[in-house]
Amino acid sequence: MKKITKSEKETSAFADDFAKKLKGGEVLCLIGDLGAGKTAFTKGLAKGLGVKNIITSPTFVLMKVYGTEKNKKIKTLSHIDAYRLESGQSLEEIGATEYFEDKNAVTVIEWADRVKDIWPDGCIKINFKILDNDNREIGVT
Ligand code: ADP
Ligand code: MG
């Protein structure tokens, strides 16, 4: 599935809708250059899941875990930023990969192409392409 968004707001709204289709246990592997919209997508996803906290990029901490409100199935959003990594080893070490098995959690990995070694079977790949200043192509496979 491919979607072109014309603003950050549209990317966020797309992710908000996308969140509503998730059942829990999904791992979303986000791939795309700096500024392509991975964090914007994650913010919309969080909103759609019922996370009330402000989502900030976890670049300096590898992972942030958020609780949801008013969501019967999905209780946790785990947000990973693999920008600085060359493999998933340190994510294994801090227990980040344990959320992959949690049926009441959704995991989002920014810069997921850096940690292909830990991609679980059936993870959802989401590619972000910068078309120009405000247009992004988002491909879900
Ligand atoms: P990433 O996490 O992939 O590095 P961010 O989501 O942090 O990217 O930043 C995306 C930047 O691009 C923001 O400054 C945002 O305002 C801008 N932008 C422009 N058009 C779009 C769009 N269609 N979707 C998402 N972000 C967009
Ligand atoms: Mg980001």
Side-chain angles (χ1 to χ4, degrees):
M1 187 234 299
K2 275 202 176 133
K3 165 89 185 169
I4 290 177
T5 64
K6 297 181 175 60
S7 65
E8 177 169 4
K9 217 172 147 188
E10 271 190 36
T11 294
S12 195
F14 172 70
D16 189 329
D17 287 344
F18 192 82
K20 304 286 200 294
K21 295 183 223 153
L22 299 176
K23 297 183 164 58
E26 290 90 352
V27 177
L28 311 183
C29 289
L30 311 192
I31 302 153
D33 293 338
L34 191 70
K38 301 180 295 299
T39 300
F41 179 92
T42 306
K43 286 180 178 171
L45 190 88
K47 181 165 172 280
L49 292 176
V51 173
K52 298 294 177 216
N53 307 61
I54 308 274
I55 302 288
T56 53
S57 200
T59 303
F60 297 100
V61 293
L62 283 186
M63 174 177 67
K64 284 190 180 174
V65 178
Y66 300 91
T68 67
E69 290 173 30
K70 296 191 178 133
N71 189 322
K72 288 210 176 69
K73 304 171 289 187
I74 300 165
K75 302 298 174 195
T76 310
L77 171 67
S78 163
H79 183 196
I80 294 170
D81 193 314
Y83 180 63
R84 280 152 205 283
L85 303 180
E86 281 165 15
S87 82
Q89 196 191 334
S90 48
L91 291 174
E92 298 261 20
E93 283 165 9
I94 65 166
T97 52
E98 282 166 32
Y99 286 99
F100 298 2
E101 321 293 330
D102 185 342
K103 293 296 167 217
N104 299 113
V106 167
T107 301
V108 176
I109 310 175
E110 292 196 44
W111 299 100
D113 48 314
R114 307 271 211 265
V115 294
K116 279 192 176 147
D117 54 316
I118 55 151
W119 286 13
D121 286 344
C123 62
I124 300 168
K125 269 84 72 186
I126 308 181
N127 277 283
F128 294 80
K129 208 191 287 177
I130 300 176
L131 300 178
D132 59 37
N133 265 356
D134 294 318
N135 290 286
R136 304 287 186 271
E137 185 185 276
I138 305 172
V140 182
T141 50

